[in-house]
Amino acid sequence: MSVVGSKRRIAVVALVLAAFAAGYGLRGADVSGPEAGPQDAQNATQSHEGHGVDVSVTEEGEVVWTCSMHPQIQLPEPGKCPICFMDLIPLERSGDGDRASLREIALSPEARKLAGITVDEARRMDVAVQTRMVGKVEYDETRVGNITAWTGGRIDRMYVDYTGSVVKKGQPMVSIYSPELLTAQAELIQAIKAVRELQGSSLDLVKESAARTEKAAREKLRLLGLTRAQIDRVAQRGEARDHITLYAPQGGVVIGKDVNEGQYVKTGASIYSIADLSQVWVVLEAYETDLPWVDIGRMVEFQTKAYPGKVFRGEVVYIDPLVNEKTRTVRVRLSVPNPDGSLKPGMLVHATQKKPGTDKGGAKAPLVIPASAPLITGKRAVVYVADPAREGVFEGREVVLGPRAGEYYIVKSGLKAGEQVVTKGNFKIDSAVQIIARPSMMNPENPATAAGEVPPLFASKLLLLDKTFTDLKQAVASKDLSQTHLAFGRFNKELRLIDGSDLEGDAARIWREYSMRLGNDAILGAEAATEERLVHIFAEMQGHYAAVRAAFGVGSAEQDLTAPQAFRTGLGEAYAHYDALAQALAEDDTDSAKAAAARLAEALTKLDAATLSGPSHAAWTQALATMTGGLDTIRDAQGLVDIRAGFEPVSAGLTQAVQKLGVAADGPVYEMFCPMAFDYEGATWLQRNETVRNPYFGTAMLRCGEVTRQLAR
């Protein structure tokens, strides 16, 4: 191996290729167990030496000795691994140098060649997916009708005496002898006769009673299975019949014949089953990995061996909520028109659902990467991205994947179009990253050290994020999925508003790593379909957030959070007038400044301090006194100099109130600082954004100042 530079080159024999060939797997399985003997260890060592890959990590620092199979073993002197007894290999614990990420690694040209590394571009691309499924034709259960005995009796005649017969709606099906039916007809005949005989009677009550009796007799016959026309014929004929004929309730094919002629049946017994085959179901088995591409309402094409080359189409009307644990498939039901009866229940079919893309590679097309690029562990995945500015440098990224689309995965988060991802050799890179004790797919956890001192603005934004995380924790505890999804979304939004570009060294690397993890946690949490999945994601998220708190020393918020919402809303209205005052001073507008100060004073008098108690009341009293003194100065001011003198205590008091009591403002609130104000004593003020508009110097030095912290989001 060549040596590049006196301090930028060491050779670390990773021995990764053979480790995977021997069943290393995703977690680096032992070559020889803890009880392996010296000969086994020697054989394992020789095996790895024969197939080792020199990753040639171009870093610098102190040398430690580690095991290629158990990189958690790091000793100050050479020897054997206490787990597998393999010889330890030298590892130079790298200095940070110019590393931008905790997961970054640099490989020499020789190492890249030995590892066979290839890269491909993450691109927005139209992905057309074909989902293949198998299944069979079944009856449409909504189109299956039954003919049952509405009254007990004897089957005297069956007009359709075998299954498979095609019948039409209203066709006679069976004749039943029924003594109960005979009695019911006689009752109707007697009731009609009584009504006729009472037509000339003056007793209305008796006539009404006879009419009700006739109506009840007709209803009884209807419940025994007679049609309205049959009942009318009984009434006209005036003679009871001891047989009833049952008719087909719908057209179709007889698929069930449950009795024979001469057989006695009880009320409710099934006689025939008729299926309307003009519309059938096709029940398909879809693998759970294909479910993201199967939607209710989508059209699916299928074929059957009975009609080679003929393509049928059906609409997805139902997706089973349960997965078959043996086959790992889900039943998908299609509703299929079958006007000519070509499809027979029981036929096997082969279906293909085509999901065409809707955009030809434009901005709306999904971002995709080759399926070989991600190293997947459950719901999470790691990809290695080549640094375009530094040859041989690769950064590990945890990404959130969508469904697989053929030879590609859709990427929901973690990559940008145009970035080069490793598609071959990524396992070897991941193993090399693990060996040098950095976060990897196989060992994602790497406890973060203290980030050191960070900019005040960044620290203030983390403090606000802590409040958002507290709200998220309460939402998860409520077990309300819809509210929790929204809380995850709010956390992700607040997280992305924190700009870590001013961080340096360890602080920058730690924030890059854990903001990536927390962002992915938030995306997964917002999509969690079950409470169990939600709790699991939040448990991981709590670990990631605890690492951030520990690294950056995030403390508890100073805000007491005891001011009621109505008070915070009123303080927000006062802040709006304050903002107008600051803007007027930045524009050197005396009249507008005095008018805004008057409106601010009036808004402060409307705030009800009686709603506050304890420390909150004391904090407000102090802040109000400071602001009132400044507003008195502004009211009596003769010019801009005096107004600006009063503006400084107004700003100090309002800052204290916003910080401790909170404010319902329309947008974020930033604290700004001008070091040159009041003969270099310096002064602060509040703004809605980070663009400096200095109210102490106005147009003379409008951009003089800096953002010190964020007080409200």
Side-chain angles (χ1 to χ4, degrees), residues 630-664:
L631 289 169
D632 290 343
T633 300
I634 294 175
R635 186 182 63 248
D636 300 332
Q638 299 301 314
L640 280 174
V641 174
D642 294 336
I643 295 176
R644 284 168 173 150
F647 179 73
E648 192 278 331
V650 172
S651 299
L654 186 58
T655 298
Q656 182 182 4
V658 170
Q659 177 182 337
K660 293 191 174 183
L661 301 176
V663 63

mmCIF file of all heavy atoms in Angstrom, residues 630-664:
data_model
loop_
_atom_site.group_PDB
_atom_site.id
_atom_site.type_symbol
_atom_site.label_atom_id
_atom_site.label_comp_id
_atom_site.label_asym_id
_atom_site.label_seq_id
_atom_site.Cartn_x
_atom_site.Cartn_y
_atom_site.Cartn_z
ATOM 1 N N GLY A 630 -40.016 54.022 30.586
ATOM 2 C CA GLY A 630 -39.554 54.346 29.239
ATOM 3 C C GLY A 630 -40.624 55.048 28.425
ATOM 4 O O GLY A 630 -40.339 55.990 27.661
ATOM 5 N N LEU A 631 -41.888 54.611 28.557
ATOM 6 C CA LEU A 631 -42.975 55.241 27.799
ATOM 7 C C LEU A 631 -43.223 56.674 28.258
ATOM 8 O O LEU A 631 -43.594 57.548 27.454
ATOM 9 C CB LEU A 631 -44.247 54.404 27.936
ATOM 10 C CG LEU A 631 -44.225 53.053 27.201
ATOM 11 C CD1 LEU A 631 -45.416 52.194 27.614
ATOM 12 C CD2 LEU A 631 -44.245 53.270 25.686
ATOM 13 N N ASP A 632 -43.034 56.948 29.563
ATOM 14 C CA ASP A 632 -43.151 58.326 30.064
ATOM 15 C C ASP A 632 -42.103 59.218 29.418
ATOM 16 O O ASP A 632 -42.375 60.376 29.055
ATOM 17 C CB ASP A 632 -43.001 58.349 31.585
ATOM 18 C CG ASP A 632 -44.192 57.715 32.292
ATOM 19 O OD1 ASP A 632 -45.248 57.557 31.635
ATOM 20 O OD2 ASP A 632 -44.064 57.354 33.479
ATOM 21 N N THR A 633 -40.884 58.656 29.265
ATOM 22 C CA THR A 633 -39.807 59.423 28.621
ATOM 23 C C THR A 633 -40.163 59.725 27.172
ATOM 24 O O THR A 633 -39.946 60.837 26.671
ATOM 25 C CB THR A 633 -38.489 58.639 28.692
ATOM 26 O OG1 THR A 633 -38.154 58.397 30.060
ATOM 27 C CG2 THR A 633 -37.360 59.397 28.016
ATOM 28 N N ILE A 634 -40.708 58.744 26.484
ATOM 29 C CA ILE A 634 -41.080 58.944 25.075
ATOM 30 C C ILE A 634 -42.196 59.969 24.951
ATOM 31 O O ILE A 634 -42.201 60.810 24.036
ATOM 32 C CB ILE A 634 -41.494 57.604 24.444
ATOM 33 C CG1 ILE A 634 -40.289 56.644 24.378
ATOM 34 C CG2 ILE A 634 -42.071 57.797 23.047
ATOM 35 C CD1 ILE A 634 -40.630 55.259 23.891
ATOM 36 N N ARG A 635 -43.154 59.928 25.868
ATOM 37 C CA ARG A 635 -44.286 60.864 25.804
ATOM 38 C C ARG A 635 -43.820 62.318 25.929
ATOM 39 O O ARG A 635 -44.357 63.223 25.278
ATOM 40 C CB ARG A 635 -45.282 60.536 26.919
ATOM 41 C CG ARG A 635 -46.561 61.370 26.835
ATOM 42 C CD ARG A 635 -47.511 61.063 27.979
ATOM 43 N NE ARG A 635 -46.930 61.402 29.280
ATOM 44 C CZ ARG A 635 -46.597 60.505 30.204
ATOM 45 N NH1 ARG A 635 -46.809 59.221 29.985
ATOM 46 N NH2 ARG A 635 -46.079 60.881 31.358
ATOM 47 N N ASP A 636 -42.813 62.560 26.768
ATOM 48 C CA ASP A 636 -42.317 63.928 26.992
ATOM 49 C C ASP A 636 -41.150 64.283 26.081
ATOM 50 O O ASP A 636 -40.560 65.368 26.223
ATOM 51 C CB ASP A 636 -41.877 64.082 28.453
ATOM 52 C CG ASP A 636 -43.023 63.834 29.431
ATOM 53 O OD1 ASP A 636 -44.187 64.074 29.037
ATOM 54 O OD2 ASP A 636 -42.755 63.386 30.557
ATOM 55 N N ALA A 637 -40.761 63.357 25.176
ATOM 56 C CA ALA A 637 -39.567 63.574 24.355
ATOM 57 C C ALA A 637 -39.763 64.732 23.390
ATOM 58 O O ALA A 637 -40.870 64.971 22.878
ATOM 59 C CB ALA A 637 -39.233 62.297 23.590
ATOM 60 N N GLN A 638 -38.642 65.451 23.109
ATOM 61 C CA GLN A 638 -38.654 66.562 22.173
ATOM 62 C C GLN A 638 -38.118 66.166 20.802
ATOM 63 O O GLN A 638 -38.210 66.937 19.856
ATOM 64 C CB GLN A 638 -37.805 67.714 22.745
ATOM 65 C CG GLN A 638 -38.324 68.257 24.056
ATOM 66 C CD GLN A 638 -39.752 68.782 23.937
ATOM 67 O OE1 GLN A 638 -40.080 69.507 22.986
ATOM 68 N NE2 GLN A 638 -40.603 68.423 24.900
ATOM 69 N N GLY A 639 -37.518 64.977 20.708
ATOM 70 C CA GLY A 639 -36.948 64.561 19.437
ATOM 71 C C GLY A 639 -36.566 63.091 19.466
ATOM 72 O O GLY A 639 -36.813 62.359 20.443
ATOM 73 N N LEU A 640 -35.934 62.643 18.380
ATOM 74 C CA LEU A 640 -35.590 61.224 18.256
ATOM 75 C C LEU A 640 -34.622 60.763 19.330
ATOM 76 O O LEU A 640 -34.689 59.619 19.793
ATOM 77 C CB LEU A 640 -34.991 60.961 16.868
ATOM 78 C CG LEU A 640 -35.987 60.809 15.713
ATOM 79 C CD1 LEU A 640 -35.247 60.697 14.393
ATOM 80 C CD2 LEU A 640 -36.865 59.587 15.927
ATOM 81 N N VAL A 641 -33.683 61.659 19.748
ATOM 82 C CA VAL A 641 -32.700 61.248 20.756
ATOM 83 C C VAL A 641 -33.402 60.858 22.045
ATOM 84 O O VAL A 641 -33.098 59.833 22.673
ATOM 85 C CB VAL A 641 -31.684 62.378 21.001
ATOM 86 C CG1 VAL A 641 -30.760 62.008 22.161
ATOM 87 C CG2 VAL A 641 -30.868 62.642 19.749
ATOM 88 N N ASP A 642 -34.382 61.674 22.463
ATOM 89 C CA ASP A 642 -35.104 61.377 23.705
ATOM 90 C C ASP A 642 -35.997 60.139 23.540
ATOM 91 O O ASP A 642 -36.149 59.342 24.473
ATOM 92 C CB ASP A 642 -35.958 62.580 24.103
ATOM 93 C CG ASP A 642 -35.110 63.788 24.482
ATOM 94 O OD1 ASP A 642 -33.940 63.576 24.870
ATOM 95 O OD2 ASP A 642 -35.610 64.915 24.373
ATOM 96 N N ILE A 643 -36.605 60.005 22.359
ATOM 97 C CA ILE A 643 -37.457 58.823 22.130
ATOM 98 C C ILE A 643 -36.623 57.558 22.224
ATOM 99 O O ILE A 643 -37.039 56.562 22.841
ATOM 100 C CB ILE A 643 -38.158 58.923 20.759
ATOM 101 C CG1 ILE A 643 -39.138 60.099 20.736
ATOM 102 C CG2 ILE A 643 -38.902 57.618 20.441
ATOM 103 C CD1 ILE A 643 -39.800 60.321 19.396
ATOM 104 N N ARG A 644 -35.433 57.560 21.629
ATOM 105 C CA ARG A 644 -34.573 56.378 21.673
ATOM 106 C C ARG A 644 -34.080 56.089 23.084
ATOM 107 O O ARG A 644 -33.887 54.931 23.464
ATOM 108 C CB ARG A 644 -33.400 56.561 20.705
ATOM 109 C CG ARG A 644 -33.825 56.368 19.251
ATOM 110 C CD ARG A 644 -32.796 56.817 18.259
ATOM 111 N NE ARG A 644 -33.209 56.442 16.895
ATOM 112 C CZ ARG A 644 -32.884 57.111 15.797
ATOM 113 N NH1 ARG A 644 -32.121 58.213 15.876
ATOM 114 N NH2 ARG A 644 -33.316 56.695 14.613
ATOM 115 N N ALA A 645 -33.913 57.132 23.881
ATOM 116 C CA ALA A 645 -33.525 56.929 25.280
ATOM 117 C C ALA A 645 -34.634 56.209 26.041
ATOM 118 O O ALA A 645 -34.371 55.359 26.905
ATOM 119 C CB ALA A 645 -33.205 58.269 25.932
ATOM 120 N N GLY A 646 -35.883 56.563 25.739
ATOM 121 C CA GLY A 646 -36.996 55.872 26.397
ATOM 122 C C GLY A 646 -37.254 54.496 25.808
ATOM 123 O O GLY A 646 -37.789 53.606 26.485
ATOM 124 N N PHE A 647 -36.891 54.301 24.552
ATOM 125 C CA PHE A 647 -37.120 53.008 23.883
ATOM 126 C C PHE A 647 -36.298 51.888 24.529
ATOM 127 O O PHE A 647 -36.746 50.735 24.588
ATOM 128 C CB PHE A 647 -36.755 53.136 22.396
ATOM 129 C CG PHE A 647 -36.931 51.875 21.607
ATOM 130 C CD1 PHE A 647 -38.194 51.404 21.276
ATOM 131 C CD2 PHE A 647 -35.833 51.129 21.202
ATOM 132 C CE1 PHE A 647 -38.366 50.241 20.550
ATOM 133 C CE2 PHE A 647 -35.985 49.961 20.475
ATOM 134 C CZ PHE A 647 -37.256 49.515 20.147
ATOM 135 N N GLU A 648 -35.122 52.220 25.050
ATOM 136 C CA GLU A 648 -34.245 51.183 25.623
ATOM 137 C C GLU A 648 -34.891 50.510 26.839
ATOM 138 O O GLU A 648 -34.946 49.275 26.902
ATOM 139 C CB GLU A 648 -32.890 51.796 25.975
ATOM 140 C CG GLU A 648 -31.813 50.769 26.304
ATOM 141 C CD GLU A 648 -31.868 50.270 27.736
ATOM 142 O OE1 GLU A 648 -32.324 51.043 28.610
ATOM 143 O OE2 GLU A 648 -31.470 49.111 27.997
ATOM 144 N N PRO A 649 -35.427 51.233 27.857
ATOM 145 C CA PRO A 649 -36.093 50.538 28.966
ATOM 146 C C PRO A 649 -37.394 49.839 28.550
ATOM 147 O O PRO A 649 -37.765 48.809 29.128
ATOM 148 C CB PRO A 649 -36.355 51.657 29.987
ATOM 149 C CG PRO A 649 -36.293 52.916 29.214
ATOM 150 C CD PRO A 649 -35.313 52.673 28.108
ATOM 151 N N VAL A 650 -38.087 50.402 27.560
ATOM 152 C CA VAL A 650 -39.279 49.701 27.059
ATOM 153 C C VAL A 650 -38.876 48.331 26.510
ATOM 154 O O VAL A 650 -39.536 47.316 26.777
ATOM 155 C CB VAL A 650 -39.986 50.540 25.970
ATOM 156 C CG1 VAL A 650 -41.095 49.723 25.313
ATOM 157 C CG2 VAL A 650 -40.566 51.808 26.565
ATOM 158 N N SER A 651 -37.781 48.282 25.755
ATOM 159 C CA SER A 651 -37.297 47.019 25.191
ATOM 160 C C SER A 651 -36.883 46.055 26.287
ATOM 161 O O SER A 651 -37.184 44.852 26.233
ATOM 162 C CB SER A 651 -36.120 47.285 24.252
ATOM 163 O OG SER A 651 -36.502 48.101 23.173
ATOM 164 N N ALA A 652 -36.186 46.575 27.316
ATOM 165 C CA ALA A 652 -35.724 45.706 28.400
ATOM 166 C C ALA A 652 -36.896 45.100 29.159
ATOM 167 O O ALA A 652 -36.914 43.900 29.483
ATOM 168 C CB ALA A 652 -34.826 46.501 29.349
ATOM 169 N N GLY A 653 -37.919 45.917 29.452
ATOM 170 C CA GLY A 653 -39.074 45.400 30.184
ATOM 171 C C GLY A 653 -39.875 44.406 29.372
ATOM 172 O O GLY A 653 -40.318 43.367 29.896
ATOM 173 N N LEU A 654 -40.074 44.700 28.080
ATOM 174 C CA LEU A 654 -40.838 43.781 27.235
ATOM 175 C C LEU A 654 -40.081 42.468 27.047
ATOM 176 O O LEU A 654 -40.696 41.386 27.024
ATOM 177 C CB LEU A 654 -41.116 44.436 25.887
ATOM 178 C CG LEU A 654 -42.039 43.663 24.939
ATOM 179 C CD1 LEU A 654 -43.392 43.408 25.593
ATOM 180 C CD2 LEU A 654 -42.223 44.405 23.619
ATOM 181 N N THR A 655 -38.764 42.548 26.922
ATOM 182 C CA THR A 655 -37.963 41.317 26.803
ATOM 183 C C THR A 655 -38.142 40.437 28.030
ATOM 184 O O THR A 655 -38.313 39.218 27.930
ATOM 185 C CB THR A 655 -36.480 41.674 26.630
ATOM 186 O OG1 THR A 655 -36.314 42.424 25.426
ATOM 187 C CG2 THR A 655 -35.623 40.418 26.556
ATOM 188 N N GLN A 656 -38.112 41.062 29.218
ATOM 189 C CA GLN A 656 -38.294 40.301 30.459
ATOM 190 C C GLN A 656 -39.669 39.637 30.502
ATOM 191 O O GLN A 656 -39.805 38.467 30.891
ATOM 192 C CB GLN A 656 -38.125 41.241 31.655
ATOM 193 C CG GLN A 656 -38.249 40.541 33.009
ATOM 194 C CD GLN A 656 -38.125 41.506 34.170
ATOM 195 O OE1 GLN A 656 -38.021 42.719 33.984
ATOM 196 N NE2 GLN A 656 -38.124 40.981 35.376
ATOM 197 N N ALA A 657 -40.707 40.356 30.073
ATOM 198 C CA ALA A 657 -42.068 39.797 30.097
ATOM 199 C C ALA A 657 -42.210 38.646 29.108
ATOM 200 O O ALA A 657 -42.784 37.590 29.440
ATOM 201 C CB ALA A 657 -43.073 40.903 29.783
ATOM 202 N N VAL A 658 -41.701 38.829 27.888
ATOM 203 C CA VAL A 658 -41.807 37.778 26.875
ATOM 204 C C VAL A 658 -41.046 36.535 27.300
ATOM 205 O O VAL A 658 -41.522 35.398 27.145
ATOM 206 C CB VAL A 658 -41.286 38.303 25.520
ATOM 207 C CG1 VAL A 658 -41.146 37.155 24.521
ATOM 208 C CG2 VAL A 658 -42.223 39.363 24.971
ATOM 209 N N GLN A 659 -39.851 36.741 27.859
ATOM 210 C CA GLN A 659 -39.011 35.605 28.241
ATOM 211 C C GLN A 659 -39.630 34.793 29.358
ATOM 212 O O GLN A 659 -39.599 33.559 29.336
ATOM 213 C CB GLN A 659 -37.642 36.124 28.670
ATOM 214 C CG GLN A 659 -36.692 35.040 29.151
ATOM 215 C CD GLN A 659 -35.361 35.619 29.613
ATOM 216 O OE1 GLN A 659 -34.971 36.705 29.219
ATOM 217 N NE2 GLN A 659 -34.681 34.884 30.453
ATOM 218 N N LYS A 660 -40.223 35.455 30.356
ATOM 219 C CA LYS A 660 -40.703 34.741 31.531
ATOM 220 C C LYS A 660 -42.176 34.336 31.456
ATOM 221 O O LYS A 660 -42.566 33.325 32.037
ATOM 222 C CB LYS A 660 -40.474 35.598 32.774
ATOM 223 C CG LYS A 660 -38.994 35.783 33.095
ATOM 224 C CD LYS A 660 -38.795 36.402 34.457
ATOM 225 C CE LYS A 660 -37.312 36.443 34.815
ATOM 226 N NZ LYS A 660 -37.065 36.979 36.163
ATOM 227 N N LEU A 661 -42.979 35.113 30.737
ATOM 228 C CA LEU A 661 -44.412 34.836 30.721
ATOM 229 C C LEU A 661 -44.898 34.245 29.409
ATOM 230 O O LEU A 661 -45.968 33.663 29.347
ATOM 231 C CB LEU A 661 -45.191 36.127 31.015
ATOM 232 C CG LEU A 661 -44.884 36.798 32.352
ATOM 233 C CD1 LEU A 661 -45.651 38.104 32.469
ATOM 234 C CD2 LEU A 661 -45.210 35.872 33.511
ATOM 235 N N GLY A 662 -44.116 34.431 28.347
ATOM 236 C CA GLY A 662 -44.550 33.944 27.044
ATOM 237 C C GLY A 662 -45.405 34.966 26.334
ATOM 238 O O GLY A 662 -45.969 35.874 26.948
ATOM 239 N N VAL A 663 -45.512 34.811 25.019
ATOM 240 C CA VAL A 663 -46.278 35.759 24.228
ATOM 241 C C VAL A 663 -46.909 35.029 23.050
ATOM 242 O O VAL A 663 -46.302 34.128 22.471
ATOM 243 C CB VAL A 663 -45.372 36.912 23.723
ATOM 244 C CG1 VAL A 663 -44.279 36.384 22.802
ATOM 245 C CG2 VAL A 663 -46.182 37.983 23.012
ATOM 246 N N ALA A 664 -48.133 35.411 22.730
ATOM 247 C CA ALA A 664 -48.798 34.872 21.537
ATOM 248 C C ALA A 664 -48.599 35.868 20.415
ATOM 249 O O ALA A 664 -49.463 36.704 20.128
ATOM 250 C CB ALA A 664 -50.277 34.639 21.817
#
